[in-house]
Each structure stands twice: as structure tokens, then as C-alpha cells.
Amino acid sequence: MYCVQCEQSNKGGCATKVGSCGKSATVADLQDVLLRLMQGISVYADRAARAGARDAAIDAFTPHAWFTTLTNVNFDESRFHALIAKAIETRDDARLLAEKAGADLSALPEPATWNPGTTPSELAAAAPFAAIQRFMDRDGPSVVGLRNLILYGLKGTAAYSEHARVLGTEEDAVSAEFHRISAFLAQDPVDVDALVAESLAIGALNLKVMELLDAANTGRFGHPEPTEVRMTPKAGKCLLVSGHDMGDLEAILQQTEGNGVNVYTHGELLPANAYPGFKKYPHLVGNYGGAWQDQQRDFAAFPGAIVMTSNCLINPEIKGYADRIFTAGPVGWNGVPHLTDHDFSPAIACALAQPGFSEDAGEQTITIGFGHNTVMGVADTLLGMIGRGDVKNLFLIGGCDGARPGRNYFHDLAMATPRDSLVLTLGCGKFRFNREDLGDINGVPRVLDMGQCNDAYSAIKVAVAVADALGVGVNDLPLHYAISWFEQKATAVLLTMLHLGLRRIHLGPTLPQFLTPEVLGVLVDKFDIRPAGDAQEDLGRMLEAA
């Protein structure tokens, strides 16, 4: 086991029997093997695509399999044995597809022909050949670090792509480009300029994927609208839905209609409360708890059933709620019931069997729902406020949160922003300050919650539109970025920002370990990345640059 993919990794990387996230060494090794095989699938799929052939089943399996390897998603060893077997079968299908299309199958890289076996002993022996540090001595930290940047960027893009796909939105061109970049990675490339170029290509691809996901969400559930969301519980039986998957939330709301179960969102599903498609369900009564890293406390105190969709799962066995939590989609934990085919009846039965909340708590609300459609709808008002000097600065503060000390940086920065500034926020990083009262400017709330981490698309869309309207480049706006980095979705969003040419991004509070000093040097030199430091000092530099 060796893992540096997220901020939970220990100094020098997780190289122990159990990772900081709770992932076993066996599961970590199986994930490495799966990803090496997935690159082999992409080699054939890419060559088939160049010959005019594709297979929808191969394209559908790809983002799902990649998604299972993200931080805090799947810890279930048996599921990875099944996924590896499926990957080997799918690679054979991809090779056959390429052969039938008359594709050139010469000079195949190792992942296209590698046979790791399928038994536990064979896979354990094969794991070193899939390890991310395998070529460190040969290729050096800069090359290996940039390859990891591509690997983790692809993971994040795959996750967003899977979110869109399960809502029925996907494009052949997206799958083809994903396979192309993955096939590039399969060659264990060493050219630094080529590695940087492909990293930016992931940024371009992820922008398209976030656009597709935005269209999938708004096409199915309507555009988010400013909404007061209850953050305190109501009396009654209850079911908590966490993660990111809005399709699962919709199915749960449909299946709980009329049976007396109140449904709450948690973490990154908070923004769902602002979509008209969810507001029509009166038993969606609000949000419970905070960001993902608080879930053990939140879930232990919640007197009902819990469904964990997509990512951000933490060990459910420690705090005594393992008997009332369920997983869905790519998520898994050994021994926790896994629900498939959108059948949530076991979780609903569990909710009805639990005591629920005995009484209403005092009502506390926050305002959410400032997606790009809402903000662009009042663009004239916003531009007028900027033109008159009512709004002198815009701050984008948000991203993926975590538990490591120092993340109060984002709370402190938000609270210190001048009264004549607006704070755009998204992702679970906003839980650091979204219950604080930062006031308003001419009736416009100073904190504009734009949604989930993937709704960085909304923030980007608004920034580009404002810059165009003012006749300036986006880097000439008084817009400052403080991005909370934690895992691979955040890596994909960062690469999208770099692809768009956004500069002076403050990233932190600590940097990912795969960003070696050499790789960080490349990003600082080419993109003016700024590691987050002291909130007040960083704020001073931001305002000086405005």
C-alpha cells in the first residue's frame, strides 16, 4: 500500500496496514490494480474510436469503475474483486472492438496486455506493478508527480461524469477524450511539457463534464432558486441522505411519499433543497448536520436511517450506527447493506423502525440556491453594484473540506472579507461559514451559495460573463480565489480553472503530497498557484492585487 491521493495521507504517504481514511492495504492495492487495468481498457477503446468504433457498455463501465477508487468511496474488498474481474472482461471486449474496427494494435503499452490474475494471492503479487511509485527511481519525482496529477484529475472527472451518466446525460466525445488521456497515461510518459499539456486537457474535459452535469441536474430538477432551508430537525420518523447523488435522493423522496418519514439532506446534498424538482416534496424538511468530515458525530446523533450515495463515507462501525446505514452507487463498506436498482425499501423500513425525532427543534435557516441561472438573472443589478463601487471585490471561497487542523483558514478568510465584497461559495467547504451572518449589500446577501463542488461551473460561468460585460479579462476582475483542496474532484476542478487561464489561486490549507516540490514549482511558475498561508496576510495580498 502506498497512497498520496488526498489530504488524509500521512507525511510521506499512507504506507501502512490501514490508510488514514480507513482503507485497508489490500483494498488500496486492489484499487491500484483496477486502475492499471482501466488504462488498458482505454488503450483499446481509444484506438477503436480512432477507427470509428465505440461501445456504450465500455464507456459506461469506465467512469463507474474509476469513481470507486476515489477517497472515501468504496472500502469493500469483495466489490473490488468483482470490479477487477469485470475490468479484465471489458478489456477483452475493447480489444475485440478495436480488432473488428481494423485499428492499429501494434506497440501496445503494458496495461493493455498485463495479466494480474484474479485470485487474492495473484492480485497481491501483481500490486507492485500497479503502484504509483513504481517508476520513482527511474523517472524521478517531477515526472511521477505530474503523472499522479493526471491520474487524480481523471478520477475527479470520472466521478462528475458518472453523476451525469446516472441521470441519463453523456456524450460520446467525452468518453473518447477520457479514453485518449487515460491511454496516454498508460504509456508511463516522461516528457514534462506533454504531462502538463495533458493535465490541462483534463481541465478542458472536466469543464465539459461539469456542463453536462449542470444540464442533467437542471433539466431534470429545474434551476436552483434562492431558498430558505431549515437546518434543525422536525418531530417524526426520519431518513438522512448524504453524498452527492440527486437521482438517489429523488428516488428516496418518491418511495417515502405518504408513509410518515421526513427526509433530510446532509453534506453536499444541501443544495438539492433549492431545486424546484425537490421542493415539491413536503417531506423533504431540510438539512441535518454539516460537512462530510462531521458525519460520525452527525450520524450517531441522527435517530433514523442513513443512505450514503456517491462519495465521502467514513467508517460507520466506530460510533454505533452501522446497523442503520446503507450504501448505494459506487459506495461500499464491508458488511454494510448495499442497495441497488434504486430500491430503497430496506432503508425506509429501517427508518420506520427507528425512534425518529421526538419534537421540533428551534427553527434555524440559511439561504441557498444562487446558481448561475439566478445570478445571471440579476446580472444588471450585479454589474450596477460593481460599477457604482457598492461591490469592490468578489471572493470565491469553497471546495472540498476535511478534518485536518488549519481548515478554519476558510472561515477566517470569509469573516475577514470587506463589507463591500461578495463571497461566492460552493462545495462542502462552505459549511465553515455558511451559518455566519455576513450581512448584505443593497439587499443582496454577501454569501452566495452556488451549490455542490461540481457547481464550480456556475462560478466560472458567472465570472466569465461579468468579465465580458465589463470588457476585461477574467484575471483583471477584482475576483479572488481561495480553494479548499481535499481530494480528486477538487483536483479536476483546479485543472479546469488552470485550463481557463485563471491565476493567483490560493490553494490549501495544505497541499496534496503528490504535488512534490518539483511539481509545485511547475504550477507556481506557469499558473501563479499560491499555497494558502495566514488568512489575514493572504487577504491583504488579494486586495493589493485588485
Side-chain angles (χ1 to χ4, degrees):
M1 175 181 187
Y2 183 79
C3 184
V4 292
Q5 72 176 13
C6 79
E7 201 197 31
Q8 292 176 105
S9 57
N10 300 317
K11 185 176 182 180
C14 289
T16 60
K17 293 182 179 179
V18 179
S20 299
C21 64
K23 180 171 59 179
S24 71
T26 298
V27 167
D29 289 345
L30 291 172
Q31 290 181 354
D32 288 346
V33 170
L34 175 61
L35 287 173
R36 193 72 169 165
L37 288 169
M38 296 308 299
Q39 292 167 44
I41 290 170
S42 289
V43 169
Y44 293 119
D46 176 54
R47 298 193 184 193
R50 294 171 189 271
R54 61 174 294 272
D55 185 291
I58 294 171
D59 291 346
F61 176 68
T62 296
H64 176 81
W66 278 80
F67 196 172
T68 63
T69 70
L70 266 72
T71 299
N72 293 82
V73 175
N74 199 317
F75 301 79
D76 190 338
E77 182 178 335
S78 64
R79 294 266 295 280
F80 282 104
H81 280 285
L83 282 165
I84 286 170
K86 177 67 174 177
I88 292 172
E89 176 186 326
T90 302
R91 190 178 62 178
D92 291 340
D93 292 341
R95 181 184 180 102
L96 182 60
L97 177 71
E99 287 176 345
K100 288 183 176 179
D104 178 10
L105 296 184
S106 63
L108 292 169
E110 179 184 271
T113 58
W114 180 53
N115 179 21
T118 56
T119 67
S121 60
E122 288 174 330
L123 292 170
F129 294 92
I132 60 171
Q133 297 297 90
R134 176 183 169 192
F135 297 114
M136 179 63 80
D137 290 340
R138 188 190 75 181
D139 299 334
S142 292
V143 166
V144 172
L146 285 169
R147 286 207 293 254
N148 288 340
L149 180 63
I150 291 174
L151 179 71
Y152 302 143
L154 284 172
K155 283 192 180 192
T157 300
Y160 289 139
S161 182
E162 178 69 356
H163 285 314
R165 189 190 69 80
V166 297
L167 290 175
T169 302
E170 53 190 324
E171 283 189 4
D172 295 352
V174 166
S175 296
E177 178 68 352
F178 189 95
H179 287 308
R180 187 194 68 76
I181 300 172
S182 176
F184 167 82
L185 188 61
Q187 302 170 54
D188 302 315
V190 297
D191 182 87
V192 169
D193 289 339
L195 288 163
V196 172
E198 291 301 336
S199 297
L200 295 181
I202 293 172
L205 175 62
N206 190 61
L207 178 62
K208 178 60 178 177
V209 169
M210 289 194 298
E211 178 183 335
L212 290 177
L213 180 53
D214 177 75
N217 285 332
T218 58
R220 185 152 164 179
F221 308 119
H223 283 282
E225 52 196 25
T227 303
E228 292 285 323
V229 179
R230 184 183 179 106
M231 300 293 284
T232 47
K234 298 185 67 173
K237 302 289 186 179
C238 50
L239 194 157
L240 188 65
V241 190
S242 191
H244 298 70
D245 197 302
M246 293 194 185
D248 283 347
L249 176 61
E250 180 185 47
I252 288 169
L253 288 168
Q254 291 170 345
Q255 293 170 36
T256 50
E257 275 192 294
N259 68 2
V261 172
N262 289 329
V263 176
Y264 297 81
T265 58
H266 176 269
E268 283 268 46
L269 275 174
L270 165 63
N273 290 276
Y275 285 81
F278 294 117
K279 293 168 74 171
K280 68 183 181 182
Y281 295 99
H283 61 298
L284 176 59
V285 296
N287 188 81
Y288 181 88
W292 71 270
Q293 73 271 10
D294 298 326
Q295 72 182 249
Q296 289 180 323
R297 180 194 66 200
D298 292 341
F299 292 0
F302 187 76
I306 303 150
V307 176
M308 181 56 98
T309 74
S310 70
N311 47 319
C312 299
L313 175 66
I314 301 177
N315 186 346
E317 299 171 339
I318 296 175
K319 296 292 185 178
Y321 53 85
D323 59 340
R324 50 189 177 86
I325 187 171
F326 301 81
T327 61
V331 190
W333 188 277
N334 186 40
V336 170
H338 185 70
L339 307 179
T340 60
D341 301 321
H342 282 100
D343 177 9
F344 294 98
S345 55
I348 296 168
C350 179
L352 290 168
Q354 298 300 315
F357 290 103
S358 60
E359 59 183 8
D360 290 359
E363 185 170 353
Q364 179 188 16
T365 64
I366 63 172
T367 303
I368 65 171
F370 292 93
H372 62 84
N373 190 64
T374 295
V375 177
M376 297 297 288
V378 294
D380 290 342
T381 300
L382 178 59
L383 291 171
M385 293 168 68
I386 294 174
R388 292 190 304 270
D390 296 335
V391 172
K392 291 188 172 65
N393 288 275
L394 301 169
F395 293 86
L396 176 58
I397 305 175
C400 299
D401 204 0
R404 190 178 293 237
R407 301 190 78 92
N408 280 337
Y409 170 92
F410 299 98
H411 169 273
D412 297 345
L413 181 65
M415 297 303 293
T417 54
R419 298 283 301 177
D420 56 4
S421 63
L422 297 178
V423 177
L424 313 179
T425 190
L426 45 85
C428 57
K430 61 175 172 274
F431 282 100
R432 291 282 170 177
F433 54 87
N434 66 351
R435 300 194 197 204
E436 301 280 9
D437 183 7
L438 270 70
D440 66 86
I441 302 176
N442 300 338
V444 176
R446 285 195 56 226
V447 176
L448 302 179
D449 184 343
M450 307 197 82
Q452 295 181 328
C453 57
N454 53 278
D455 288 310
Y457 173 75
S458 282
I460 290 168
K461 193 175 178 73
V462 168
V464 170
V466 170
D468 288 346
L470 294 176
V472 300
V474 71
N475 287 310
D476 297 319
L477 287 173
L479 174 59
H480 317 288
Y481 311 95
I483 303 302
S484 174
W485 179 85
F486 180 78
E487 47 87 84
Q488 298 87 69
K489 284 183 173 180
T491 301
V493 171
L494 174 63
L495 291 176
T496 293
M497 297 175 76
L498 298 183
H499 154 72
L500 291 170
L502 304 183
R503 300 179 67 83
R504 302 188 301 275
I505 298 170
H506 287 74
L507 184 68
T510 55
L511 295 177
Q513 291 187 44
F514 66 84
L515 283 186
T516 62
E518 295 84 358
V519 175
L520 179 60
V522 171
L523 297 182
V524 169
D525 179 59
K526 291 182 177 292
F527 307 108
D528 201 8
I529 289 286
R530 300 182 177 185
D534 176 81
Q536 287 289 349
E537 292 178 2
D538 288 352
L539 177 62
R541 281 192 292 271
M542 292 175 186
L543 295 176
E544 286 176 5

